[in-house]
Amino acid sequence: MNWEMWYHWAGTDWFARSGMIYPGVWSFIGFWVFALGACFGSFLNVCVWRIPRGESLSQAASHCTRCGIPIRWFDNLPVLSFLILRGRCRHCGERYSSAYFWGELSCGCLFVLSMVKTGLMRQYPGLILFQSALIFFALGGARIDWRHRIIPDKMTVPAMVTALLLSLAFPRAWGVGSHLAALGICVSSGAIPAAVLWLFARAGKFVCRKEIVGMGDIKFLLGLGMLAGLPGGLFALFFGAVAGCAAGLFTGRKWHDSIAFGPFLAAGAIVWIFADTLLLNAYRNFCLTL
């Protein structure tokens, strides 16, 4: 490959200075970013299991849910331990759900893809932290909602706090230099989509005489929007509504029947991470043709 052409096409200042244009450097950095993402995925597995059950995330060590024996550190390596032990407990042979493996693998891969996409699209590198946090909380909220039909505050509130802290630390991610302005943009980016969903929920409750969207979904969208930005939050809402309706029709459910809305919101937010520029350009071109 012509590395000068690759440099011209893929490199941004931070991307080039880090040496990511060279295979050796890319492999090294990509491996550790994947490992970091897989570790977050492993912690996310703990959150998905313990939070809905009201268990502490810090007091009890990781243990087998059948025999109760603590899992040693060498049996708790993300991705690798599941493959080595073939998804079973070393002591009692209890089979673990493959969701643990896929949760760690998907989180690691998405972290790497987020870094690569940010570099190739010449975006501010601080966005990687916003996108990584968005991936973590989106996957966590989606998995809990899919299993338990709830999205706990222990998942949504940390997402909001993380968005505020990142906005204070990296205001340039919002295109401004003022920390106060970054906070305002962050809050409004989540509040506007959440307000739209709240109004829809109120109207649906009035028409159907039952709750069709819970407050957990609204707070979940609030957190996603604060991390993704206003266009990302609105897109997550639009994508979630369309995908949720399509899923309801496909499964034969009526539109007002109970269905986990969180996974569709999360899917929209993750799609936005990797297609934001494409979607914004398509929207601008559409507006120009009107």
Side-chain angles (χ1 to χ4, degrees):
M1 177 180 288
N2 188 326
W3 292 108
E4 291 184 0
M5 291 181 61
W6 169 258
Y7 177 89
H8 177 73
W9 176 67
T12 62
D13 288 342
W14 72 268
F15 197 82
R17 284 198 299 267
S18 65
M20 295 286 286
I21 56 175
Y22 302 108
V25 177
W26 152 244
S27 300
F28 178 79
I29 296 178
F31 170 80
W32 287 111
V33 171
F34 173 84
L36 177 64
C39 288
F40 273 94
S42 180
F43 176 65
L44 189 59
N45 288 333
V46 177
C47 295
V48 171
W49 175 264
R50 296 188 183 185
I51 288 178
R53 294 169 173 80
E55 299 179 11
S56 172
L57 295 176
S58 58
Q59 293 182 358
S62 297
H63 57 275
C64 175
T65 56
R66 179 182 178 184
C67 65
I69 295 179
I71 299 175
R72 304 290 296 273
W73 68 267
F74 49 80
D75 286 336
N76 207 21
L77 299 175
V79 180
L80 289 178
S81 293
F82 190 94
L83 295 175
I84 293 172
L85 297 175
R86 299 181 180 180
R88 294 181 179 274
C89 173
R90 180 184 293 273
H91 301 281
C92 67
E94 172 73 1
R95 180 177 292 277
Y96 298 139
S97 170
S98 61
Y100 293 120
F101 171 79
W102 293 113
E104 295 166 354
L105 183 65
S106 61
C107 208
C109 291
L110 288 173
F111 270 39
V112 174
L113 291 175
S114 170
M115 177 188 65
V116 173
K117 173 261 180 182
T118 304
L120 297 185
M121 299 305 295
R122 304 187 177 193
Q123 295 176 324
Y124 176 59
L127 284 173
I128 297 174
L129 297 177
F130 283 84
Q131 293 169 1
S132 297
L134 180 59
I135 290 167
F136 178 85
F137 290 110
L139 291 178
R143 290 174 61 186
I144 293 176
D145 195 26
W146 184 263
R147 289 186 178 185
H148 303 279
R149 293 296 192 273
I150 58 170
I151 306 180
D153 289 345
K154 286 188 177 180
M155 186 58 63
T156 56
V157 173
M160 301 175 201
V161 174
T162 301
L164 293 174
L165 293 176
L166 288 176
S167 298
L168 279 174
F170 303 98
R172 286 182 56 194
W174 299 108
V176 297
S178 167
H179 298 281
L180 184 61
L183 287 177
I185 296 173
C186 175
V187 172
S188 61
S189 294
I192 293 175
V196 173
L197 184 58
W198 180 82
L199 290 173
F200 174 78
R202 297 294 296 177
K205 188 173 183 179
F206 177 78
V207 173
C208 302
R209 305 296 180 182
K210 63 181 293 187
E211 189 177 81
I212 61 173
V213 176
M215 281 302 301
D217 296 314
I218 296 172
K219 288 183 282 188
F220 187 45
L221 181 59
L222 173 61
L224 295 180
M226 291 174 67
L227 288 167
L230 180 57
L234 292 174
F235 176 78
L237 175 59
F238 171 78
F239 183 96
V242 173
C245 289
L249 292 174
F250 179 77
T251 58
R253 294 184 176 212
K254 296 180 180 179
W255 69 275
H256 54 77
D257 284 344
S258 175
I259 187 171
F261 191 36
F264 300 105
L265 293 174
I270 292 177
V271 168
W272 178 261
I273 290 176
F274 301 104
D276 53 355
T277 303
L278 177 64
L279 292 168
L280 285 173
N281 289 337
Y283 177 74
R284 292 192 188 100
N285 293 334
F286 174 75
C287 292
L288 290 175
T289 60
L290 296 179

